[in-house]
Every structure is written in structure tokens, then in C-alpha cells.
Amino acid sequence: MSRFPDERIVVDYVAPRHLAGGGDPTWITVPLHRACGWSLEHEPLTPNVSLTSPDQKELLRLEPDPDSPWWTLHHAPEQAAPAWYASFGARTPVEFIAAVTDALTDPAADTAAAPDPYDVLRQADWTPAGPRDGLVSPDGTTFLQRADEASAWFATVMVNGSRIVWHAHFSEHTPSRLIACERRRFSPP
């Protein structure tokens, strides 16, 4: 029994979720370490954390720095594919980053049938972003842009059309299945 019988706990939910901010990093780090076998390195007396995949091909770093992306996922070059990376700003909701790492570590993923991220968004009622290249979400807060077929992808979440809440960057060789999986999180079920 509570010491304060009239005590009420008020929980505020932010909707849409992509405007709510970062969250608990363990949503990302614990599954990679415990379920996927990624090795963990932590720099003592700092908030920096590195996780490396068992095959040493991927490295995820959390480096809180107000002037840089907080999360960076690097993939080493392979014989059939060049290196790539994805980076996420400080206030990127952990669910979005976890969607990318979940898709990356999914053993059942069909890498040959990767969807076009733009197709995924058009099916969720995203529209052309006006004078900007790319698409905008139905609520007008999120933009996905790509300069051309062979360039990097940029996702930007803004309020009032100008204040950036968070951003993500996917280098030109990032597998489209990872970009498409994250974009699904912006769409209503």
C-alpha cells in the first residue's frame, strides 16, 4: 500500500512517437550483446560504448557528443559489397535505431528482395516534398531525401517546418532493406 493513498502517476505519451526523443540505449545495446553475440566495449568514465558483430563486419558506436551524431553503425567492405554506414542524431528514438539493427541481424532477412524505401513510404501516404527532393510524411514532420539513385539517404524530423528534432544519415551503399525497415516506423499501423 502506498504511503499516499491519493497518489496518482501521470504518464504523458508523445504522439507521433518520432517526436518524443531518444530513450533508453539499452533497447539497442542489450539485444545486440545478449541475443546476437556482439562484443561490448565501454570506455571507463565516459558514456561511450562500442559493440562489434561476431564476424567483425559491423561496429556500432554510441558517442554522446553535442556536435556529432550520437550513434554510428559502420559496416566493413566485403568482396561483393563496399563499406557503408548509418548515423543517428542525439534525439533519434531508440526504436528507430533498433529497427535498423534488428533488420541487420535478422537471420531470415531476404537481402535479395529489398524494398525501395520510397515505395514503402508511398504506400503509407507520404507525398512529394514540394521544392525538396524526396517525400514528406502525412503529418508534415518527417522528410526522407536522396539526391539521386547513387547517393546517400537523409531522414530529417522537424517541427514547425524549421526546428530539427533529429536526423539520420545512410551512406550511399547502405542496404535499402535497412532504410525501408526504419521508414515503416514512421507510418501508422
Side-chain angles (χ1 to χ4, degrees):
M1 183 167 175
S2 173
R3 288 184 4 192
F4 307 102
D6 293 331
E7 179 180 1
R8 294 182 188 181
I9 298 173
V10 177
V11 178
D12 291 325
Y13 293 99
V14 175
R17 173 64 182 113
H18 60 268
L19 297 178
D24 184 352
T26 60
W27 276 51
I28 302 161
T29 59
V30 170
L32 286 175
H33 179 63
R34 291 187 183 162
C36 299
W38 288 40
S39 60
L40 174 67
E41 290 182 30
H42 180 262
E43 297 175 26
L45 304 177
T46 73
N48 299 345
V49 174
S50 295
L51 290 138
T52 306
S53 64
D55 63 5
Q56 304 291 302
K57 291 180 183 175
E58 289 95 13
L59 171 68
L60 177 67
R61 292 203 38 93
L62 169 59
E63 297 177 292
D65 179 343
D67 299 322
S68 302
W70 280 31
W71 294 91
T72 308
L73 175 62
H74 292 275
H75 182 81
E78 298 180 73
Q79 190 172 19
W84 57 265
Y85 74 93
S87 63
F88 305 90
R91 290 177 300 279
T92 306
V94 292
E95 295 92 337
F96 294 95
I97 304 166
V100 172
T101 59
D102 289 351
L104 178 66
T105 58
D106 183 357
D110 183 0
T111 58
D116 179 318
Y118 281 151
D119 289 343
V120 172
L121 295 177
R122 284 185 197 103
Q123 292 171 12
D125 298 326
W126 285 47
T127 57
R132 304 177 186 190
D133 292 328
L135 297 176
V136 61
S137 62
D139 67 1
T141 62
T142 307
F143 302 89
L144 181 68
Q145 299 169 296
R146 188 175 198 193
D148 59 52
E149 294 274 329
S151 65
W153 293 86
F154 295 91
T156 305
V157 176
M158 299 188 323
V159 291
N160 300 328
S162 62
R163 191 177 132 244
I164 295 177
V165 178
W166 63 267
H167 54 85
H169 176 247
F170 299 89
S171 71
E172 65 182 300
H173 300 293
T174 304
S176 63
R177 69 185 175 89
L178 303 182
I179 300 164
C181 80
E182 177 159 329
R183 299 309 132 230
R184 287 187 191 121
R185 299 289 179 127
F186 290 118
S187 306

